[in-house]
Amino acid sequence: MADTIPTQQAQDRPVGSPAPGADTLGEDGVHRTPWGNGDALLREYYDHEWGVPVTTEAGLYERLTLEAFQSGLSWLTILRKREAFRAAFAGFDPEAVAGFGAADVERLMADAGIVRNRRKIDAAIQNAAATLELRADGGLAALIWSFRPETTPLPCTVTEVPSSSPESLALSKELKRRGFAFVGPTTMFALMEAVGIVDTHLLGSHRRGVSGLWHADGTRAAEPRLG
């Protein structure tokens, strides 16, 4: 995840798109997708991480795991527990997590710093093993990024941001076929947004175009470098 905060100038917006409005304006005078104007931790995440391409196995396994744990909860809850998750899950090293046994599951179930849901914990371990299996067939990053669409949404308002897509449905099906769990199409679309596979920053947001992978009209501009 990058630490830079590129801005999107008015002339970079597609012809006919609206200028930033009051609904995107934060208290600090910066335009964001509205959820990024809330809690300071959400604002920090939005301004520095969300939508920046993540192309490594470890990075994608972490995001896949956190998105699964977020299911049914707020993302702010997950962000507040993120460091505890990293400590509990060996820094999201899939080789280490794949080796977790019954004692580790009980340790995690007793860890108040994380979300203590046995099904999600079991899924994180199962997904780590599935990640290792994928190494013989191109790897997790190559599989996930292969579902990048030809175009990305151009939302002016939050109501125009989809919650799933044909690609997220196809990714969900393929991951399930490969032995992954807690990878439904809505969760996979959230993952695709978070790691830069699609850009759903509102057109008026200062983070629109941060990935560098899309033209202003929503067509592909560049290919990611997979790590």
Side-chain angles (χ1 to χ4, degrees):
M1 294 181 179
D3 292 326
T4 55
I5 311 177
T7 58
Q8 187 73 0
Q9 300 300 324
Q11 61 266 30
D12 293 330
R13 294 193 301 273
V15 175
S17 66
D23 59 333
T24 66
L25 186 63
E27 293 180 355
D28 56 359
V30 176
H31 288 276
R32 301 178 180 86
T33 299
W35 66 262
N37 284 322
D39 183 272
L41 191 58
L42 283 174
R43 186 166 60 249
E44 177 73 11
Y45 173 68
Y46 182 84
D47 282 350
H48 292 271
E49 295 190 37
W50 193 69
V52 175
V54 177
T55 59
T56 64
E57 178 189 81
L60 286 166
Y61 172 66
E62 175 181 357
R63 277 41 163 224
L64 191 71
T65 302
L66 293 179
E67 292 290 350
F69 271 99
Q70 186 271 335
S71 180
L73 303 171
S74 73
W75 185 244
L76 181 57
T77 295
I78 300 302
L79 285 181
R80 287 172 173 165
K81 294 176 175 288
R82 189 177 190 179
E83 291 307 316
F85 269 112
R86 284 173 169 166
F89 283 92
F92 291 106
D93 175 357
E95 290 189 6
V97 178
F100 282 8
D104 293 291
V105 172
E106 294 309 314
R107 168 180 60 83
L108 293 167
M109 286 297 296
D111 189 342
I114 67 169
V115 175
R116 292 178 288 182
N117 180 300
R118 189 177 295 273
R119 290 181 62 228
K120 293 178 180 180
I121 290 170
D122 287 342
I125 298 170
Q126 177 179 331
N127 292 350
T131 295
L132 299 187
E133 289 290 327
L134 276 175
R135 289 179 177 177
D137 193 20
L140 181 65
L143 187 150
I144 289 177
W145 276 91
S146 72
F147 290 88
R148 181 188 175 203
E150 290 300 318
T151 60
T152 195
L154 300 171
C156 296
T157 66
V158 172
T159 58
E160 295 175 0
V161 178
S163 60
S164 63
S165 68
E167 292 81 10
S168 75
L169 176 59
L171 173 58
S172 171
K173 289 180 177 178
E174 180 61 16
L175 286 173
K176 289 176 181 177
R177 189 181 75 82
R178 300 281 190 151
F180 288 78
F182 270 92
V183 288
T186 300
T187 300
M188 289 304 93
F189 192 77
L191 174 74
M192 294 167 80
E193 293 177 292
V195 303
I197 294 175
V198 294
D199 185 351
T200 58
H201 291 283
L202 298 190
L203 295 182
S205 170
H206 82 116
R207 294 290 280 172
R208 180 72 191 183
V210 67
S211 72
L213 300 180
W214 303 100
H215 291 297
D217 66 357
T219 58
R220 289 189 180 192
E223 296 300 320
R225 292 184 177 181
L226 302 183

